[in-house]
Amino acid sequence: MTRRIFFTVLWLGFLGYAFLLAPPDSPETVDLIIDLSSGNWETLNPAIIALFNLMGIFPFAYGAMMFADGRGQKIGAWVFAAASFGVGAFAILPYLALRDPNPNLEGDLNPLLKFWDSRILGGVLTLGAIALLGLGLSQGNWSDFSQQWQNSRFIHVMSLDFCLLCGLVPALLGDDMARRGLHNPKLFWAVSLTPLLGLLLYLTLRPPLEAATPALQDSPQSS
């Protein structure tokens, strides 16, 4: 119950902050979103380009944990995972509030689950994130980014969404590790405390679900 209350309060707090306390919408926001989505990036700050595209990597990374986790839940994870492509943590937080601990894999692996469990997916996401981080850190105009963060609700909330998604990883990581027979607190904290890349490297290197023995799948995971 404490966990449910925590994530519910965090979700409501984030909603309230985004719509009541964050900077007002900028008149150029719609045009900015269209340019970012369409690849019309010539005049845009590379730091904003990188952040926007990194926010597209997070839903895949969370989906790689959520689809297996959702097998044992009363609610379907796919609804929240799909919504996260549009609204990020605003969709992940309700799932975390509603889910129950689930250290076991229920049912057989189907093609969809094999896709989300694939190390190839993790590798592609990792390479993409490294390229985007390199672009943003090396070519980004951080003075312009700071100004937009203070004056644009879209940039402001998207930045906070990125940070929140980095911080929510432990909520699903422990059970994902347990489903694979991984009971290593050092690994858990190394992944949890390395923003984004820790999760992506974990997805690239983690043992596949089919490699876990029934005995290991039934083992509890404490984090």
Side-chain angles (χ1 to χ4, degrees), residues 1-222:
M1 183 58 68
T2 301
R3 175 184 53 80
R4 295 184 189 277
I5 293 174
F6 172 77
F7 286 120
T8 300
V9 170
L10 185 59
W11 178 55
L12 293 174
F14 191 31
L15 280 171
Y17 180 86
F19 289 101
L20 299 176
L21 298 176
D25 279 324
S26 169
E28 296 83 18
T29 295
V30 174
D31 291 335
L32 174 60
I33 294 174
I34 292 174
D35 288 341
L36 286 168
S37 302
S38 63
N40 184 22
W41 299 342
E42 290 81 2
T43 61
L44 300 183
N45 184 346
I48 294 175
I49 295 171
L51 176 61
F52 180 81
N53 285 280
L54 286 169
M55 292 302 297
I57 286 179
F58 262 119
F60 283 101
Y62 270 85
M65 295 188 291
M66 289 173 64
F67 278 91
D69 184 74
R71 285 283 191 89
Q73 306 297 336
K74 297 177 182 178
I75 54 171
W78 68 270
V79 176
F80 301 93
S84 70
F85 280 92
V87 295
F90 290 107
I92 300 295
L93 281 167
Y95 178 76
L96 296 179
L98 293 170
R99 71 179 289 271
D100 294 311
N102 180 28
N104 303 310
L105 176 66
E106 295 193 5
D108 297 326
L109 289 171
N110 57 29
L112 179 61
L113 192 54
K114 287 182 179 179
F115 166 78
W116 290 106
D117 191 52
S118 170
R119 289 180 173 181
I120 295 176
L121 175 62
V124 170
L125 295 176
T126 301
L127 292 176
I130 291 173
L132 289 169
L133 288 170
L135 171 68
L137 293 174
S138 65
Q139 300 184 36
N141 184 335
W142 293 100
S143 176
D144 171 74
F145 183 88
S146 176
Q147 184 176 4
Q148 294 204 50
W149 189 84
Q150 297 176 57
N151 296 287
S152 168
R153 175 176 294 176
F154 174 66
I155 302 299
H156 189 94
V157 173
M158 182 167 60
S159 302
L160 296 180
D161 198 355
F162 176 90
C163 296
L164 190 54
L165 287 171
C166 288
L168 292 175
V169 169
L172 292 170
L173 178 61
D175 282 352
D176 191 81
M177 290 176 60
R179 284 189 287 271
R180 301 162 199 282
L182 296 174
H183 305 279
N184 186 333
K186 291 182 179 180
L187 175 62
F188 176 88
W189 289 113
V191 172
S192 299
L193 297 177
T194 306
L196 182 56
L197 288 180
L199 172 59
L200 297 181
L201 288 172
Y202 166 75
L203 297 178
T204 304
L205 301 173
R206 66 182 178 176
L209 286 171
E210 61 264 30
T213 65
L216 287 175
Q217 287 182 327
D218 291 335
S219 299
Q221 168 71 25
S222 59

